[in-house]
Amino acid sequence: MKVLITCPPMLGLMDEFKPLFAAKAIEVDCPPVVQTLSVEELKSLIPQYDGWIIGDDPATREVFQNGKSGKLKAAVKWGVGVDNVDFTAANDNGILVANTPRMFGAEVADIAMGYVIALARQTFMIDRAVRAGTWLKPAGISLGDKTVALVGFGDIGRNTAKRLLAADMRVIAYDPYFQAVEGLEAVQPAAWPARLEEADLIVLTCALTSENHHILNSETFAKAKRGVRVINVARGPLIDEAALVEALSSRQVHSAALDVFEMEPLPEASALRPFEQCIFGSHNASNTVDAVRRASYQAMHLLFDFLGCA
């Protein structure tokens, strides 16, 4: 059997994982992937494989149909987010599919909290200035008693809330499936965008759905407190980037930390690039050796089970 792997974090540890595939008599292919392969690349590749470990690639109906026309029997989405995978199409084509939830809530929450501190104290701008030979001393804001609008209260959101509460911050959580959690009783649920004007920071940790596409847009930015700081460690299309550019230009948004974008990698011509008060990531919030190993082993075991070689 043959398996295709297109998840960049997992590809970085393939020397460790290849013997596991070899022990199952599975040939594994690891094409060079910066962020994702295109639909056309996948349509061409996928029919020759029995299994596929998916990264953030467009696992669309036509990709799965092409897989079904060849050998594809099963696929596993590496990680939590599944907005790029058409599960209905996979099922319609008789292809077994799953993801690996709850693998790195703590790791992504660590990055979210790091961004909160960086935007509050502008540590990244100080670093740039000192490297350039100047001695910048911006006055930041204290975290204590500041309010965070936390969008998403799943595994990542809950781990983020723990860190925010530990910093004596107030947390308003927006999640249609909100459930109270022991130890997080101080988190206050609300229906989006109620109380958004109270927030000093907005942190996005939710899954991307058709209902929350561009949840941050011109209307919601206008409703927010002037000078709000925005953090996205979830999915790029949660933010209307054109609206964010306008809000940054008018200083309605003080600054933003974005690990994800509407188009990835971030285009060279992106209108976000000139804003020095922003931190840009590379969709890398979950990427620690520990988390990658944990999610990869889970993905492999699921795939082996689907292929009948567990």
Side-chain angles (χ1 to χ4, degrees):
M1 287 190 287
K2 293 179 66 177
V3 166
L4 176 69
I5 299 177
T6 58
C7 172
M10 185 174 178
L11 292 173
L13 289 179
M14 280 310 298
D15 286 346
E16 176 180 336
F17 303 141
K18 281 182 178 178
L20 300 177
F21 287 96
K24 305 287 185 182
I26 295 174
E27 180 183 343
V28 59
D29 280 355
C30 306
V33 182
V34 175
Q35 182 64 37
T36 65
L37 297 182
S38 68
V39 168
E40 292 305 314
E41 288 172 319
L42 290 166
K43 285 169 62 179
S44 174
L45 282 171
I46 207 67
Q48 60 187 295
Y49 296 98
D50 300 273
W52 177 23
I53 296 181
I54 309 167
D56 291 319
D57 314 273
T60 64
R61 178 169 292 274
E62 55 186 327
V63 170
F64 282 124
Q65 286 173 338
N66 269 40
K68 180 63 175 178
S69 71
K71 299 170 56 180
L72 190 65
K73 304 176 184 69
V76 176
K77 167 61 173 72
W78 189 97
V80 179
V82 295
D83 52 279
N84 60 306
V85 180
D86 190 334
F87 278 74
T88 301
N91 291 327
D92 289 347
N93 284 279
I95 297 167
L96 299 171
V97 64
N99 70 324
T100 61
R102 297 179 298 279
M103 286 291 109
F104 30 66
E107 285 78 10
V108 178
D110 288 343
I111 289 291
M113 194 66 203
Y115 282 154
V116 166
I117 296 168
L119 292 187
R121 302 300 301 272
Q122 299 180 65
T123 52
F124 61 103
M125 296 189 72
I126 296 170
D127 173 78
R128 294 172 192 169
V130 172
R131 290 175 186 276
T134 59
W135 201 243
L136 185 68
K137 288 182 175 288
I141 60 170
S142 301
L143 299 185
D145 292 327
K146 295 299 187 295
T147 298
V148 178
L150 179 64
V151 184
F153 200 60
D155 185 37
I156 295 170
R158 291 170 183 177
N159 274 281
T160 301
K162 290 178 186 177
R163 289 150 176 77
L164 297 170
L165 293 173
D168 295 324
M169 305 184 81
R170 290 186 292 269
V171 179
I172 303 171
Y174 301 88
D175 192 315
Y177 306 104
F178 179 91
Q179 290 185 333
V181 177
E182 184 178 356
L184 299 180
E185 291 86 358
V187 174
Q188 306 167 44
W192 182 264
R195 301 181 63 188
L196 185 58
E197 67 278 1
E198 299 177 28
D200 300 286
L201 299 99
I202 301 170
V203 180
L204 303 179
T205 65
C206 59
L208 175 65
T209 67
S210 57
E211 289 77 20
N212 64 22
H213 181 270
H214 284 183
I215 194 171
L216 282 181
N217 51 46
S218 296
E219 183 178 342
T220 47
F221 281 132
K223 182 177 175 61
K225 178 185 292 188
R226 182 166 180 79
V228 69
R229 290 157 167 84
V230 175
I231 293 159
N232 189 1
V233 293
R235 286 292 187 266
L238 293 168
I239 299 178
D240 179 344
E241 288 181 3
L244 177 59
V245 167
E246 292 179 5
L248 286 164
S249 297
S250 69
R251 305 295 290 182
Q252 176 66 10
V253 170
H254 175 277
S255 51
L258 308 173
D259 189 58
V260 289
F261 301 91
E262 290 198 82
M263 184 177 294
E264 297 176 351
L266 183 66
E268 196 66 36
S270 170
L272 288 167
R273 287 185 178 273
F275 292 97
E276 291 293 328
Q277 69 268 45
C278 292
I279 307 172
F280 298 144
S282 58
H283 200 146
N284 199 51
S286 63
N287 193 9
T288 70
V289 172
D290 312 86
V292 169
R293 183 174 286 119
R294 190 164 60 239
S296 298
Y297 275 100
Q298 177 72 2
M300 287 185 289
H301 289 312
L302 283 168
L303 190 62
F304 294 157
D305 187 48
F306 284 161
L307 295 176
C309 55

